Amino acid sequence: MSAAITGLGTAIPERIITNADLEAYLDTSDEWIVERTGIRERRQAGPNDTTASLAIAAGAAAIKDAGLVPDDIGLLIVATATPDQALPAVSAFVQDGLGLHCGAFDVSAACSGFAYGLVTASSLLAGGTIKSALVIGAETLTRFIDPNDRSTRVLFGDGAGAVVVQPAPDGMGLLGWDLGCDGSATHILQIPPGKKWVEMDGREVFRRAVRAVVDTSARTLERSGLTAADIDWFVPHQANQRIIDAACDRLHIPAERTIVNVDRFGNTSAASIPLALADTPVKDGDVVLLAGFGAGMTWASAAIRWQKEAQS
Ligand code: UT7
């Protein structure tokens, strides 16, 4: 048995921060940001937004989209790098906020977290004990970025995306996946102990990111018995237009089949892939390849043959 995405929902804060807004107080320019990253604007959590509140809004929308009610959900996974507090997990607040009656835990794999969560949920569903799972990627990254650090402030944004995963017949849903981590690179993207803000060696992350996306995607394609030509929609983690372009080039996936929303949302970490999925004009039978990378370094990819309706 396999597992398919049968519901999708998103939540984005109302406040838009444009490049012009950043130009007004940082030594940066719209031209630099667009040319080096492709980002034009990003969302910023308002005073009443939390990682949990964004996750709850996205999760409620996904449950509704799947035609389910909260009691139908058998497992909740929240992927986030920006929990509202260290203890307890964000998923506990989300479980309560959505009125779920099921197990709930967080996944901390930075920008790869959503794909890690999706693979975990799908594997548990395949075991047959649960009939549906809710996987949410939710972040309030702007709260962990030094507002005066131009090298990170321009990149990151807030938001949440959620999917419901349910059993699918063999050959549909999740076809293959790859998860990885190289913990020798923890220092290139981190909030060091006792510090408040994200610190990043951007060039090193860039270099490793392209390689990670290409290698993990190639492994997932091979395990799924697919080639790049079979991919209808490539949904990469949205960190930088140039990383996406370089990865697509090496994977031989054309731009027309690649989903990009980094221009509107910047890098929303674990929320980026589900937010991009919501922009994907996918139809039943299409093959979707997801690929993420992030702090750790972690990486994750999954190939899915789309089937919106759950197996009856
Ligand atoms: O989800 C994973 C998280 N992170 C990433 O994926 C980030 C991966 N890295 C990147 O996307 C890129 O490396 C950045 C966008 C962070 C930087 O782009 P770059 O082309 O690698 O620039 P750079 O770091 O090599 O910096 C070039 C110059 C530097 O000035 P000098 O030393 O040449 O005088 C920077 O100080 O650009 C400067 N710079 C800026 N200038 C204007 C750095 N940030 C800015 C800025 N505005 N916001």
Side-chain angles (χ1 to χ4, degrees):
M1 203 198 292
S2 186
I5 291 174
T6 58
L8 192 59
T10 63
I12 47 170
E14 274 172 31
R15 185 163 174 213
I16 297 173
I17 309 289
T18 64
N19 290 350
D21 294 332
L22 298 175
E23 259 178 358
Y25 82 100
L26 277 176
D27 180 19
T28 190
S29 65
D30 175 56
E31 194 191 355
W32 191 97
I33 301 169
V34 171
E35 199 181 295
R36 299 291 182 116
T37 73
I39 300 167
R40 293 180 185 277
E41 59 187 46
R42 68 289 290 145
R43 299 293 174 125
Q44 182 167 322
N48 297 322
D49 295 321
T50 61
T51 296
S53 75
L54 292 169
I56 290 165
I63 293 170
K64 188 165 176 227
D65 185 48
L68 299 181
V69 295
D71 263 344
D72 295 323
I73 302 297
L75 174 73
L76 168 66
I77 299 177
V78 178
T80 187
T82 53
D84 302 310
Q85 57 192 71
L87 195 77
V90 173
S91 53
F93 297 92
V94 178
Q95 175 272 319
D96 184 52
L98 287 172
L100 307 180
H101 297 100
C102 62
F105 63 94
D106 285 9
V107 165
S108 180
C111 309
S112 313
F114 176 78
Y116 262 79
L118 182 66
V119 168
T120 305
S122 300
S123 303
L124 290 171
L125 275 165
T129 305
I130 52 166
K131 297 273 176 285
S132 59
L134 180 63
V135 182
I136 307 177
E139 305 280 9
T140 49
L141 264 161
T142 60
R143 298 206 167 119
F144 297 84
I145 301 295
D146 180 350
N148 298 311
D149 179 357
R150 69 177 183 176
S151 73
T152 50
R153 180 64 185 95
V154 304
L155 301 176
F156 295 99
D158 303 331
V163 297
V164 169
V165 192
Q166 292 183 273
D170 269 344
M172 303 303 284
L174 187 68
L175 303 175
W177 51 268
D178 177 61
L179 304 181
C181 178
D182 176 3
S184 70
T186 49
H187 58 286
I188 64 173
L189 177 49
Q190 63 171 334
I191 302 174
K195 299 249 185 106
K196 206 171 156 188
W197 310 124
V198 168
E199 295 180 9
M200 180 173 75
D201 177 347
R203 263 186 232 187
E204 188 56 22
V205 175
F206 191 113
R207 201 177 64 78
R208 288 171 183 256
V210 174
R211 204 169 60 206
V213 170
V214 171
D215 290 352
T216 189
S217 296
R219 276 191 294 272
T220 285
L221 288 177
E222 196 193 332
R223 288 171 190 169
S224 308
L226 301 168
T227 68
D230 299 312
I231 303 303
D232 294 294
W233 303 109
F234 181 43
V235 185
H237 170 48
Q238 308 282 314
N240 185 320
Q241 179 74 54
R242 286 161 50 220
I243 296 177
I244 297 172
D245 291 345
C248 285
D249 196 45
R250 289 182 205 182
L251 287 164
H252 305 293
I253 297 176
E256 312 85 74
R257 290 194 261 133
T258 302
I259 305 301
V260 173
N261 67 14
V262 72
D263 52 327
R264 283 156 42 225
F265 297 125
N267 182 346
T268 58
S269 190
S272 116
I273 288 179
L275 282 175
L277 267 179
D279 280 345
T280 308
V282 65
K283 57 181 192 318
D284 280 5
D286 283 357
V287 174
V288 178
L289 175 66
L290 317 177
F293 62 91
M297 296 273 295
T298 57
W299 56 86
S301 58
I304 298 165
R305 193 180 302 280
W306 206 262
Q307 174 167 308
K308 178 75 168 64
E309 290 304 312
Q311 187 181 24
S312 48

